[in-house]
Amino acid sequence: MKRLALLVTILGSACGDDSRPGNPPKPPGGGSNEEGEQVLITTAGNAPMFIAYRDGAGEWLDPTEVSTGNYEVTVTGPYEVVAVCGGSDNAQTSIRRFSLEDGAEQKVPCVGNTGSLSTVKVSGEMLQAGSVFMGDQASSPTAPWTFELDVTSGSHDLIAFNSQKILFDRNLDIEAGTTITTVDLTAGAAFETKAFTFEGKRADDTLVLATDLLTANEVLTIPASGSTAKIIPADALATDDHQVVLASVSNGTAHRSVSLTPAADSPSTLAFPPRLSGVRMATDGATWASVPAGKINLVQVTADDAGSRQVSIELSNGWLAAIEAGLVATGELKFDLDIPGYDATWNIDPAKFHATLSVIDDQGAISYRSAVSQSINGGLAPATTRDDVRARFTK
């Protein structure tokens, strides 16, 4: 296996007046904006409350906003984009490093809530034992049964399922408390199934197998039955629906997974990637003894009574290839958020946080992930949210 390592430092620079409130200024004469190639940056999800970029090791610049959530940058080679999404109490800082070889359009996830969302009650009756989902989920082992869900206002899909069938009622406009007509899975679509065997699982690993579903309005996880995944048939899916079978193993610190879009020719034997070794987390990055080839992603989270703040940095394959000659024997990923216009209160708490370093290897229809998590001074791991799952689909 090829040993990869990295030494990177982002240096902030002081400039003149901001060109827009909250954003870093452009240097006199436009700097690198006057030459180079244009790349479209799309903040998938919401529009960010702060965004900046720099070409190579140059000054931080203000991108050109071409429409809500779409920005144009002018670069000559490897470049970096920093976007802050969410709100003041749950800021999510995304650092993305790309190269021109990655393509003329890149996505930076921006799916965090911009504040607390009020909910209304959606209630009804289900004739079969099972689960009903609409942003919130309720389940019962007996039938018939009544449910009550806390649902945010807006467009939603009601999804009901049990071990055999799944039923969709799509694009419901929920603005106030609502009573749903009786949910009857008799009209639902029967799940297809696929049994898997796994290689590379260790004695201290716990295995989880599930199907993740993304619709226009919902994100849902459907647990497997042992090592057999439940797959939604194609004729029950809408055009923009996505489903992924995700198999993962974890010992609480080391996490590894294999994900695939199910198809008739999908393999039935899945091999987990090797564990990472020698990883150490710090406020300004991470170091490691060895790491396999693939996209490198570091996520740091601080959760407290005021909310949850997150900083994530991801290195594209093109960016890694562009600086491969500078890789050294011991890996070190460093970053510095001393950027003009960046509010220090958006950053994580340096005294207490939780960090995860991941390496993602996409091989066509199958994606492999190996990760290590560490708690710094008792920092708690964040719960997986709908936004986390949606971000996987929107990359």
Side-chain angles (χ1 to χ4, degrees):
M1 180 173 293
K2 188 174 183 179
R3 290 170 60 89
L4 289 184
L6 177 66
L7 176 59
V8 181
T9 303
I10 303 178
L11 299 177
S13 58
C15 306
D17 293 335
D18 287 355
S19 55
R20 286 190 302 173
N23 271 336
K26 298 177 182 178
S32 63
N33 273 350
E34 292 186 338
E35 55 185 24
E37 297 184 31
Q38 293 178 334
V39 177
L40 180 66
I41 303 296
T42 299
T43 54
N46 303 317
M49 57 184 177
F50 172 87
I51 185 168
Y53 82 101
R54 72 174 189 168
D55 183 22
E59 296 183 70
W60 290 100
L61 305 173
D62 190 10
T64 300
E65 184 174 9
V66 295
S67 61
T68 301
N70 294 289
Y71 303 85
E72 199 170 72
V73 301
T74 304
V75 294
T76 59
Y79 62 99
E80 298 162 282
V81 179
V82 175
V84 182
C85 305
S88 59
D89 61 348
N90 66 339
Q92 299 182 27
T93 300
S94 296
I95 305 168
R96 297 296 183 266
R97 295 177 180 171
F98 301 109
S99 172
L100 284 172
E101 284 67 28
D102 291 315
E105 181 175 346
Q106 298 300 324
K107 291 182 178 179
V108 177
C110 192
V111 294
N113 291 331
T114 57
S116 60
L117 300 175
S118 59
T119 60
V120 297
K121 300 292 185 182
V122 174
S123 57
E125 181 184 52
M126 185 167 169
L127 296 185
Q128 295 83 15
S131 299
V132 62
F133 182 90
M134 186 189 287
D136 189 16
Q137 182 168 318
S139 303
S140 174
T142 60
W145 61 286
T146 59
F147 59 85
E148 185 176 77
L149 308 175
D150 292 318
V151 181
T152 57
S153 299
S155 182
H156 284 277
D157 302 328
L158 184 141
I159 307 172
F161 62 96
N162 60 14
S163 60
Q164 289 84 37
K165 288 188 172 184
I166 187 167
L167 176 71
F168 295 89
D169 191 358
R170 298 179 184 269
N171 299 317
L172 302 177
D173 188 18
I174 306 297
E175 299 297 338
T178 304
T179 299
I180 300 294
T181 55
T182 301
V183 177
D184 185 358
L185 281 176
T186 302
F191 282 117
E192 298 172 356
T193 59
K194 187 174 183 67
F196 291 94
T197 57
F198 303 98
E199 298 177 349
K201 181 178 178 291
R202 296 193 179 186
D204 59 343
D205 279 328
T206 299
L207 172 69
V208 175
L209 179 66
T211 300
D212 286 335
L213 170 66
L214 174 73
T215 74
N217 302 309
E218 308 296 344
V219 175
L220 173 66
T221 296
I222 302 168
S225 297
S227 60
T228 300
K230 297 180 177 65
I231 298 171
I232 304 165
D235 57 6
L237 296 172
T239 303
D240 295 330
D241 287 351
H242 302 278
Q243 67 172 329
V244 170
V245 174
L246 177 66
S248 60
V249 289
S250 174
N251 68 352
T253 299
H255 319 277
R256 297 172 294 146
S257 67
V258 183
S259 62
L260 58 87
T261 301
D265 59 351
S266 296
S268 57
T269 298
L270 301 178
F272 294 108
R275 287 179 179 176
L276 305 185
S277 65
V279 178
R280 295 292 182 269
M281 308 296 186
T283 308
D284 60 348
T287 61
W288 57 85
S290 65
V291 65
K295 286 185 178 180
I296 298 175
N297 177 228
L298 173 65
V299 178
Q300 302 173 322
V301 178
T302 294
D304 53 33
D305 293 340
S308 179
R309 302 183 302 284
Q310 174 177 299
V311 174
S312 66
I313 177 169
E314 183 172 301
L315 316 180
S316 74
N317 290 332
W319 192 90
L320 283 168
I323 53 86
E324 187 170 359
L327 300 181
V328 293
T330 299
E332 184 176 35
L333 175 60
K334 293 288 187 178
F335 60 89
D336 185 349
L337 290 171
D338 184 17
I339 303 171
Y342 183 86
D343 190 332
T345 63
W346 298 334
N347 206 345
I348 62 167
D349 182 352
K352 184 177 182 180
F353 63 95
H354 188 276
T356 300
L357 178 72
S358 305
V359 177
I360 302 169
D361 185 14
D362 291 319
Q363 297 186 6
I366 303 180
S367 181
Y368 301 89
R369 175 178 179 265
S370 187
V372 171
S373 294
Q374 291 179 4
S375 174
I376 309 300
N377 295 327
L380 300 177
T384 300
T385 67
R386 296 172 60 201
D387 288 340
D388 296 328
V389 179
R390 186 172 291 277
R392 292 211 318 266
F393 286 102
T394 56
K395 285 185 178 180

